[in-house]
Each structure stands twice: as structure tokens, then as C-alpha cells.
Amino acid sequence: MSAGLKTGPIASEWSSLDTDRKGSLDQVRQIAALTEPAVLPKSNQRPDQDLPNPYQSLGPRGAVNLAGVLLTYLFPAEFPWGKFSLSPEYLYSGSDPSAIQKAQDLLFLADLHVHSLFESSSRDYTKPLGFRSQKYRSLMQLLVGGDVLECVDHGMKEDGSEGDDFRIRFFRQDRYVSQRDTSGSPVLHITQESKDAASFSDEDFAKSELPKELLEKTRTERMVPLYTRVEMHPFSRVWTITQEINGVEIRTAEDKHSRYFCTPYRLVGEEHYGRGFFAAFEGDLRSLEKLRECLLDFAATASKHLLFLDSASELRASDFAKRTGSVIEGARIVGGQVQDAAFFRADKMPDFQVVEKVHENIRADVGASVMLRSESVRQSERTTAYEVAETVIREMEGMQGGLMSQIADYQQVPLFNYARYWLQEKNKLPPQVGEMFNRKMVEIQALTGVAALARTARANSLLTTLERLGRIDPAMLAPLNRDQVLHYLTRAANFYEPGLIKTREETEQETQKALQVQAQQQAIETTGKVIENTAAAQASAQTGAA
């Protein structure tokens, strides 16, 4: 890190807010040492220094398991985790059903476009981490540390202007400070990043007033702190982003929709940072750590193979090194047992059993809490994937205290909305979608947890209803609009293949063509019958004349 840099107003504000939250960071480090130390190492951690290695493995395995389960059900790879839906006011306003159907199909394509943004970042092999890799790391920090800040990184073009990337980046807890209002909504973030001075554009480097000699130094010496301040104006609700290097403001921009997303796990009172899932189990994890250490110490002591000789014995240590079958003289023997030599024994088995029982009880409680096993899934050969998903999701919703709802409110819906806003600003969405948003006809819904189950259940319920109606009387299916049913099921399954399903215009054209062919056929048949009848009449007249 370069020395002799100036301190600006943003750096000073960062330093003040960072000092105020030192206590919360120390608590997070203590919990991280028992679960996932990499979430927040100690402040003076060196790159070549080992991380804490706990005696118990339940905390680390539980953290990995929970983060993986959350990633699977919050951001599934093959299914959408958010969608645009028509507002109830418009959906049930009595509008033309065909217009509603077209609007829903248009929003469905917009859903796919938004999701493709995140998927494309995962497939960009030139960048180290994709969307789900970053999400896994942020979920791990959320569980252990209780708070995580993410942002959408668009990158930069060669001229220094904002790029067209759409990558999710998250900040470690000691790299950002936040402020929230009394309702818990974030209103201010300041991030600190170490940047290579050689990576700045010529314009930014000139504005920063950094010495040009800095570019000739090694990479370690070229590293300088970059401060980014993100604040929401309380009246206009517009977010102002300001960056500072070397005490000099180099860039300012405004966003109608924030590209920064700060998610707390559990907010207490009017605190600015959340508390993590494992904070509630810190006592159990510490007890488990200590008991596991005691058990290992006892096992190490009991496993020692030590031979003790009485100080008055005539035996020598060399006597026990003799070959099997050798005769050793000088031992004191009573009742066939050697009395002046004995092996070491740890005669504390009752105490060991008490420690072991307490250890297993705590281990079982914590293991169930971190979902290392589930006894609620029905054990059967016909157990469906839907049953398994329902059980896991409902267990997580109850156990995590509505964490999926938290992530939906603080991450998924704002992120989905920002992606829509960014695509709209880049003219990459149909103008009809923007018009529907401007008219407040569209809502954003997170499709995770119970909401995802409900969507699947509705599609299954429709299929079951159609099957039952067909069994009762196939004629009961006649009033149903087949196009509506087909489009609803394909949207529910998140299935779209261009050209696979005929458009309404194509269907009408085929119907019209079929009617024309049928009319022509009937005309041919009618003409043939007329000719036959005329010929028959003529023949009958000739026969009568004869």
C-alpha cells in the first residue's frame, strides 16, 4: 500500500463509522472461528498465515451445508427465482383476456431476458467468479456474519465510461460500513477497496493527483485505497454514488434504482448491521468446541501404552525388551500376577461418559438446526421430488425465521428490478414492458421458498382438474381456451422455445386455410352431385320418350 496519500472527506467518514462498529466485527470473528474462518479473518491476518482450525467440525460442515441448501432453493440453476406479473388491479379489471394473455407472454419473455443477464455472467470464463459462486460466498457471510453488501458491477470501457457487464460482487464485512433508518432500510454505504493505480483510466489517474512515479513501482507499492460512498437522498429517493482516491473526488453519478443491495440476517433494535444465524448457537458451538477438546485429550491419555515399575523392584526396563518366552527373574509375584509392574490405565470412564453424553446431546441439537439430517421426509419408494422440496423449504422457513422472505425483500426483488431498469435504459427490452411499468401495471414477485411451491402446486392443480374433467365427461373440456391453458403451463414450467408453439395469427391462418379447403371440397362435391343429378334426369327423360 502506498504511503503519503491524502485523506478526504469520504475516507474520514469511513474511518469514523469503521471505529464505531469494531465490537460487532470482533464478535463476527469469534463466530467465524467456530464455523467458517475465511468469512472474516483477524484484522492483521497475513496471506501466508493459517486460519483458526476448530476441534469440532459440526460448525464448518453446518455452515457449508446451509449455504449450499440456500443457494439451491433461492437461486436454482434451471428455474426462475423472480418474475414480472400483472398487478391485481389490471389483472382483475375486466380487460380483454386476449390482451392480458399477450401482456403475460411479453412479461414472460422479459423474465427470461433478465435471468439471462445473470446466467451470462456465470458463463463468462474470462472472469474468475460467476453469479452463483458470488451468491454462495455472500450467503455464507450472511449466515455467519449476519450482514452482506453486494453490488452490480458493470465494468469499464477503455475510455473510462461504464461498461456493459452485469456481474454481482460482494464485499467482506470489514470492507464496508452502512447506516440504516429507524425502519431498517439502508440509506448509506461506504466501501473501501485496494486498487492498483495502473488499472485507473488516464482521466481518473489525472484527477486523483497521484504521482506519476507511482506507476513505475511494484504492484504491492502501487495499491491505493478507493472509497465509494453510496447515499440515498431522503426526498427524491435517488442514490448518489461518489468515488474518492487520494482525498480527491474522481467520479459522481446518480441512480434511480440502487445497484447496491445490503441484506441483514436479523436486525436488533435500531442497529445498522444484522446478526448471523450462528450467533444464536454461539454458546452451543463453544461448548461443543471445549467438550470435543476434552474428549480428544482423554482419548490421547487413555491411548498411551506406558509401563510403570515399582521403585523397589529388582526388574529393569531391559527385561521387558527380551524376546517372547524368555525367563525373567526378580519380579514380585502374588497369585500369579506381577505386583511390582503395571500398565497405565485411565480409570475415569464414568467421568468420560458424562462428557460424551453432554457432547452428543449438544451435537444432535446443533446438527438438527443446521439441517445435517432431516427426519420429516416421508420414507417411501414413491416419495416425490416435490415432497422433498416442500419439506426442506418449510423446515428452512421455520428454522431460519423467514430468511427466504428477508432475501426476497432485500436482494431478489431489488436486484430483479434493477436488472429491468438497466435493460430498459439500454433499450434491450420491448418498449411495451417499460410502458406497463410506467402505468404501474406490473409487480415483481420472488419465486423462492413457499412462493415457488405455490406456483408448482397451481400448475399441478390445473393438470389434475383437467384430468378429472376429462374422466367425468370430455365435453366439459370444450369451454376451456386451449391456448390459455397451453401458455399458462409453459410459463409455469419456465419453458420457451422460439417457434415451437404457434402464434395466434398462425393458428387463425391455418384455421382459415382449412375452412377454405373444406369449402372447396364441399363445392366440388356439390358440383359433382349436380352433374350426376342432371345426367340422371336427362337419362330418365330419354327413357320416357322412347
Side-chain angles (χ1 to χ4, degrees):
M1 186 74 70
S2 299
L5 298 178
K6 294 179 291 186
T7 301
I10 298 180
S12 298
E13 187 177 9
W14 156 271
S15 179
S16 176
L17 295 176
D18 184 46
T19 302
D20 293 341
R21 56 85 181 263
K22 287 293 185 185
S24 63
L25 288 184
D26 291 339
Q27 184 180 10
V28 171
R29 288 190 177 96
Q30 294 173 7
I31 298 173
L34 298 171
T35 51
E36 181 52 62
V39 167
L40 191 62
K42 58 185 180 181
S43 56
N44 58 347
Q45 177 79 23
R46 298 192 309 272
D48 59 343
Q49 192 173 2
D50 291 337
L51 293 170
N53 189 14
Y55 286 97
Q56 50 82 30
S57 62
L58 191 62
R61 288 195 295 120
V64 170
N65 182 67
L66 275 181
V69 172
L70 282 173
L71 180 67
T72 300
Y73 286 99
L74 287 170
F75 302 99
E78 300 297 331
F79 295 95
W81 45 267
K83 64 169 290 191
F84 299 120
S85 58
L86 294 174
S87 64
E89 292 81 6
Y90 177 74
L91 191 61
Y92 306 118
S93 62
S95 301
D96 181 13
S98 61
I100 293 178
Q101 181 66 43
K102 289 181 179 180
Q104 288 178 330
D105 288 343
L106 196 63
L107 291 178
F108 175 63
L109 294 179
D111 292 344
L112 297 179
H113 199 160
V114 170
H115 282 98
S116 69
L117 276 179
F118 307 110
E119 296 299 331
S120 61
S121 69
S122 298
R123 293 191 296 267
D124 187 356
Y125 304 117
T126 63
K127 305 292 177 64
L129 293 176
F131 174 70
R132 287 180 179 79
S133 299
Q134 292 283 22
K135 278 298 178 183
Y136 176 81
R137 298 173 67 190
S138 68
L139 288 172
M140 179 68 77
Q141 179 170 304
L142 184 64
L143 291 169
V144 176
D147 204 271
V148 63
L149 176 67
E150 300 170 283
C151 79
V152 177
D153 186 1
H154 296 300
M156 296 188 67
K157 298 180 180 179
E158 294 181 359
D159 60 358
S161 61
E162 187 176 76
D164 294 328
D165 291 344
F166 202 91
R167 302 183 64 81
I168 302 298
R169 188 159 55 92
F170 94 105
F171 298 89
R172 210 171 65 182
Q173 278 182 278
D174 57 351
R175 287 295 186 175
Y176 72 90
V177 294
S178 296
Q179 294 281 286
R180 299 179 183 272
D181 59 19
T182 54
S183 66
S185 299
V187 294
L188 171 69
H189 307 295
I190 301 179
T191 66
Q192 183 202 52
E193 304 172 79
S194 296
K195 292 290 187 178
D196 188 345
S199 65
F200 299 149
S201 65
D202 294 340
E203 181 181 359
D204 289 345
F205 189 87
K207 287 182 178 180
S208 67
E209 300 178 3
L210 291 169
K212 294 183 178 181
E213 296 77 13
L214 184 63
L215 299 178
E216 301 175 0
K217 297 184 178 182
T218 63
R219 183 181 183 278
T220 303
E221 295 174 322
R222 291 197 309 263
M223 302 302 290
V224 296
L226 167 67
Y227 294 93
T228 303
R229 190 179 192 274
V230 185
E231 184 180 22
M232 183 187 69
H233 191 279
F235 179 74
S236 64
R237 314 295 291 180
V238 173
W239 291 84
T240 302
I241 304 174
T242 307
Q243 291 188 320
E244 177 184 279
I245 301 175
N246 192 29
V248 180
E249 180 183 310
I250 63 167
R251 186 180 295 107
T252 299
E254 288 187 348
D255 268 343
K256 294 180 180 179
H257 301 275
S258 176
R259 67 185 68 184
Y260 287 79
F261 314 96
C262 190
T263 308
Y265 178 81
R266 179 169 58 93
L267 283 174
V268 179
E270 296 183 4
E271 293 182 349
H272 299 294
Y273 304 95
R275 298 174 184 259
F277 170 77
F278 288 97
F281 302 97
E282 184 179 3
D284 284 339
L285 289 174
R286 290 192 178 281
S287 300
L288 197 63
E289 176 79 0
K290 190 63 178 178
L291 290 172
R292 175 56 67 91
E293 183 180 2
C294 292
L295 289 175
L296 292 175
D297 288 343
F298 183 89
T301 302
S303 64
K304 291 182 178 179
H305 194 71
L306 301 176
L307 181 63
F308 291 84
L309 287 176
D310 193 311
S311 59
S313 176
E314 296 181 5
L315 295 174
R316 297 292 179 266
S318 57
D319 293 334
F320 295 94
K322 293 182 178 181
R323 298 177 58 183
T324 302
S326 301
V327 176
I328 302 175
E329 298 179 352
R332 185 166 59 90
I333 300 174
V334 177
Q337 298 292 328
V338 177
Q339 300 298 313
D340 49 356
F343 283 100
F344 170 78
R345 293 191 304 171
D347 293 330
K348 293 177 64 66
M349 186 54 66
D351 297 338
F352 176 82
Q353 291 175 344
V354 171
V355 175
E356 185 180 32
K357 185 174 181 180
V358 174
H359 172 271
E360 289 303 318
N361 288 340
I362 296 177
R363 180 183 176 85
D365 290 343
V366 177
S369 300
V370 297
M371 298 186 68
L372 288 179
R373 66 177 185 274
S374 178
E375 303 295 339
S376 302
V377 179
R378 180 172 61 91
Q379 301 299 320
S380 169
E381 293 181 356
R382 298 180 63 83
T383 301
T384 63
Y386 178 81
E387 286 183 274
V388 176
E390 180 181 23
T391 300
V392 173
I393 289 175
R394 295 193 183 280
E395 280 186 357
M396 292 195 67
E397 285 282 12
M399 177 192 312
Q400 301 286 344
L403 175 60
M404 291 187 176
S405 301
Q406 286 274 96
I407 293 180
D409 292 339
Y410 284 98
Q411 281 190 31
Q412 292 175 313
V413 172
L415 179 60
F416 213 76
N417 189 41
Y418 178 77
R420 186 273 311 172
Y421 164 74
W422 186 79
L423 286 172
Q424 192 172 335
E425 289 293 309
K426 296 289 185 179
N427 296 320
K428 294 183 178 181
L429 282 181
Q432 299 93 321
V433 175
E435 183 181 351
M436 285 190 285
F437 267 92
N438 294 335
R439 293 171 57 188
K440 300 187 183 303
M441 296 169 51
V442 183
E443 295 179 348
I444 299 177
Q445 180 184 2
L447 297 179
T448 55
V450 178
L453 292 174
R455 188 189 195 197
T456 304
R458 284 196 298 270
N460 292 338
S461 179
L462 175 60
L463 291 174
T464 302
T465 301
L466 295 176
E467 182 181 359
R468 289 176 178 175
L469 292 176
R471 289 179 180 178
I472 296 173
D473 185 0
M476 298 178 69
L477 298 175
L480 292 176
N481 189 320
R482 291 182 298 176
D483 289 342
Q484 298 279 11
V485 173
L486 178 61
H487 283 271
Y488 175 81
L489 292 177
T490 52
R491 288 198 303 268
N494 193 43
F495 182 80
Y496 175 73
E497 183 66 28
L500 181 64
I501 299 177
K502 299 175 183 178
T503 63
R504 191 179 300 275
E505 291 76 11
E506 290 175 334
T507 304
E508 292 176 353
Q509 290 176 2
E510 289 186 357
T511 302
Q512 186 177 2
K513 185 179 294 185
L515 291 174
Q516 291 176 353
V517 172
Q518 184 178 0
Q520 292 175 358
Q521 187 69 25
Q522 290 178 350
I524 292 174
E525 292 178 357
T526 301
T527 302
K529 290 181 179 180
V530 170
I531 293 175
E532 290 179 359
N533 293 336
T534 302
Q538 291 177 352
S540 176
Q542 291 177 359
T543 302

